Amino acid sequence: MNFNIFNRQKIADGVFFNAIQETKFKSNLISVRFIVPLDESTAAKNALLFPVLLRGSKNFPDIGAIRREEESVYDTDISDGVYKRGDTQILEMRMRVLDNRFSIDGMDITARAVHLLSDVLFAPVMENGIFLADYVESEKQMLVDDIRAQINDKRRYAMQRLMEEMFSDDVFGISELGTVESVCAITPESLTVQYQDLLSRARVEIFAVGNFDFDSLGKTFAKSFASLQRKNIVDTETCAMQSAKETVKTVYERQNISQGKLSLGFYTGVTVRDPNYTAMQLLNIIYGAGVTSKLFLNVREKLSLCYYCGSGDNGQKGFMTVHSGIEFKNEKKAADEILAQLEEIKKGNISENELRDAKLALIDSAERIADSAINMLNWYFACVMNEAVITPKEKCEAIRAVKTEEIVKIAQNIRLDTYYFLCAKEETI
């Protein structure tokens, strides 16, 4: 069996074990990702769950005990994360663990590390079947601080606000962290109910990257999930954006700031499941992703209309964004030039050098997938979510085959949907 390509098996209802064998790393990687629909009523609770789980488990009842166990197992590292992908919220527990080949005392490093991971995930510290109030309240405050920190990071804040305005009638507009109000409303009881629902209904994707005994590891996880009552597994489909708004949605938000943040959202109509998505990725690079892009060379360098200006495409929903930092007085000039550069692509004004540089950049990104376990994990996780497994080598072949006219054809359908400008209060302009 060639694990380097990809191996995947179902080990329980809605639970999948994904194996990628690579012997060149000293440390291996295990990731357990719970995938649920984005929902305003549960986003904050889901975002809070794994931080609370990492506060203590049955055999390791506090942070200190967990840390000591990590250190004793050859400095194993366990961490959590919460992400948004399309219309889903993803909760991850990730573990970096030294390969058993490097054990100097005969310890089965993987087995002991997985025991810790399983204890954290499935046997949290509870009192009368409820999460400990102290742990919940402490993590609530940290989550609230994270949400409020977005407001202080104006670049990140503008990006989030564009999404909220662009997708105000779509679940994609919901933050994966929830809101301050929804976090404050969480109780140990409500969080416990959410935890139980997650274990029974979430789609679960387990990834093991490195040099494992995959058969044994898969059976270990299968045994853990066999003890759970899994039923009514949630739907994790994403609904792509169908069209741009008939009239561009324009939003001006005023704060006491010294630099404007101009963010534009475009409908592209191209998703990761479309055969021409590689051409869309190249279009994005040519337009605004990198130092050879039209936005960088013209809006920033040639005309000096912004401090930064770049584009990004979202293949799950089928849209593209442009984010820039500008002087307030340059708003119209910057916006006009950003749109003008897109028109250049629509007219077919793409040089051979621009196409070559874009292809080289995308190929380089694909070729670097094998450089780290986390790159490999994220690559094949995307394949799983897209329901189409493609190797980095196959991706490179697809990149090389794209023609200029394919990019121009895609550009014809791109439309401005939402215009958002975070600017100063009127009296300070």
Side-chain angles (χ1 to χ4, degrees):
M1 186 177 293
N2 190 346
F3 286 102
N4 279 306
I5 294 177
F6 190 59
N7 180 263
R8 171 177 170 81
Q9 61 178 314
K10 183 177 180 179
I11 60 173
D13 191 12
V15 182
F16 302 87
F17 180 73
N18 305 277
I20 307 164
Q21 187 174 47
E22 179 53 74
T23 61
K24 68 182 179 183
F25 304 128
K26 289 186 65 176
S27 292
N28 299 323
L29 189 65
I30 297 174
S31 170
V32 184
R33 295 183 174 184
F34 289 74
I35 307 164
V36 293
L38 262 174
D39 189 299
E40 193 171 16
S41 67
T42 58
K45 286 182 280 191
N46 285 333
L48 188 65
L49 265 176
F50 282 15
V52 169
L53 292 183
L54 279 172
R55 291 298 297 268
S57 64
K58 180 179 178 181
N59 291 299
F60 311 98
D62 54 41
I63 292 176
I66 291 176
R67 293 291 176 261
R68 286 190 294 273
E69 178 65 6
E70 288 178 316
E71 291 172 4
S72 66
V73 188
Y74 287 85
D75 203 25
T76 289
D77 177 67
I78 184 170
S79 59
D80 70 294
V82 57
Y83 323 102
K84 175 168 67 174
R85 189 183 193 281
D87 295 346
T88 66
Q89 185 181 22
I90 300 168
L91 288 65
E92 180 187 36
M93 199 71 79
R94 184 190 303 170
M95 173 171 279
R96 178 187 56 77
V97 54
L98 189 68
D99 194 312
N100 276 345
R101 291 175 295 169
F102 302 102
S103 174
I104 59 175
D105 58 4
M107 178 191 294
D108 186 336
I109 303 173
T110 299
R112 189 160 160 184
V114 171
H115 176 262
L116 170 61
L117 178 61
S118 297
D119 209 57
V120 168
L121 278 173
F122 304 117
V125 172
M126 291 187 172
E127 185 174 347
N128 298 321
I130 303 296
F131 282 121
L132 298 186
D134 288 349
Y135 288 178
V136 173
E137 290 304 315
S138 176
E139 293 302 327
K140 280 172 61 176
Q141 187 56 58
M142 293 184 69
L143 182 54
V144 166
D145 291 344
D146 286 345
I147 295 172
R148 286 177 173 160
Q150 292 180 335
I151 299 176
N152 297 325
D153 182 345
K154 299 306 179 185
R155 185 171 181 172
R156 182 181 175 194
Y157 176 77
M159 292 178 180
Q160 176 60 30
R161 288 289 294 117
L162 174 66
M163 292 299 95
E164 290 174 353
E165 295 293 344
M166 191 171 178
F167 294 96
S168 58
D169 297 322
D170 189 297
V171 296
F172 189 75
I174 300 169
S175 169
E176 66 273 24
L177 300 182
T179 64
V180 169
E181 294 74 21
S182 57
V183 174
C184 291
I186 296 172
T187 65
E189 290 79 8
S190 67
L191 190 64
T192 303
V193 171
Q194 186 62 26
Y195 170 67
Q196 293 167 342
D197 186 69
L198 186 81
L199 291 184
S200 64
R201 302 183 63 235
R203 171 181 170 181
V204 183
E205 295 289 345
I206 303 167
F207 277 80
V209 185
N211 184 45
F212 291 107
D213 179 342
F214 290 106
D215 289 336
S216 176
L217 189 57
K219 289 176 182 177
T220 297
F221 279 110
K223 183 177 180 180
S224 296
F225 281 94
S227 63
L228 304 176
Q229 293 185 348
R230 300 273 299 167
K231 57 182 180 181
N232 301 323
I233 307 304
V234 297
D235 179 10
T236 56
E237 288 295 313
T238 288
C239 294
M241 191 176 178
Q242 296 301 304
S243 64
K245 298 177 180 64
E246 290 187 9
T247 302
V248 175
K249 183 176 185 179
T250 303
V251 179
Y252 285 84
E253 183 172 344
R254 300 186 181 277
Q255 292 186 10
N256 186 21
I257 56 176
S258 59
Q259 183 188 117
K261 306 297 181 186
L262 178 63
S263 295
L264 308 181
F266 300 84
Y267 163 78
T268 67
V270 182
T271 72
V272 290
R273 298 193 179 188
D274 293 322
N276 57 352
Y277 180 64
T278 300
M280 178 64 230
Q281 290 178 294
L282 289 170
L283 185 156
N284 174 60
I285 295 173
I286 292 168
Y287 181 43
V291 296
T292 63
S293 69
K294 291 181 180 294
L295 293 184
F296 184 87
L297 293 178
N298 292 281
V299 184
R300 184 182 187 277
E301 295 295 290
K302 181 180 178 181
L303 299 175
S304 299
L305 291 173
C306 62
Y307 298 103
Y308 65 86
C309 187
S311 67
D313 78 279
N314 185 295
Q316 288 79 53
K317 297 291 288 185
F319 70 89
M320 180 176 67
T321 59
V322 172
H323 298 286
S324 60
I326 63 175
E327 295 285 352
F328 304 125
K329 65 181 181 181
N330 287 334
E331 178 204 348
K332 186 177 188 309
K333 289 181 179 179
D336 287 347
E337 191 60 31
I338 288 169
L339 295 175
Q341 292 305 317
L342 180 59
E343 287 301 313
E344 288 298 303
I345 297 177
K346 291 184 177 185
K347 293 174 184 176
N349 292 328
I350 300 172
S351 70
E352 291 184 7
N353 286 344
E354 285 177 316
L355 181 59
R356 180 202 63 205
D357 290 345
K359 286 186 176 184
L360 287 175
L362 199 55
I363 287 170
D364 179 65
S365 177
E367 288 180 338
R368 285 188 285 108
I369 296 302
D371 290 347
S372 75
I374 187 61
N375 285 348
M376 296 176 75
L377 161 63
N378 288 333
W379 176 273
Y380 284 101
F381 176 72
C383 288
V384 165
M385 295 298 288
N386 299 342
E387 297 182 348
V389 176
I390 179 173
T391 67
K393 181 179 179 181
E394 291 169 335
K395 180 66 174 182
C396 290
E397 293 170 355
I399 295 166
R400 294 186 180 98
V402 174
K403 306 296 183 184
T404 300
E405 49 267 32
E406 296 176 67
I407 297 173
V408 175
K409 184 177 180 180
I410 289 173
Q412 303 303 316
N413 294 320
I414 296 177
R415 297 288 182 272
L416 180 61
D417 177 270
T418 303
Y419 181 106
Y420 172 86
F421 188 41
L422 178 63
C423 53
K425 295 181 178 179
E426 292 185 8
E427 61 271 20
T428 63
I429 298 179

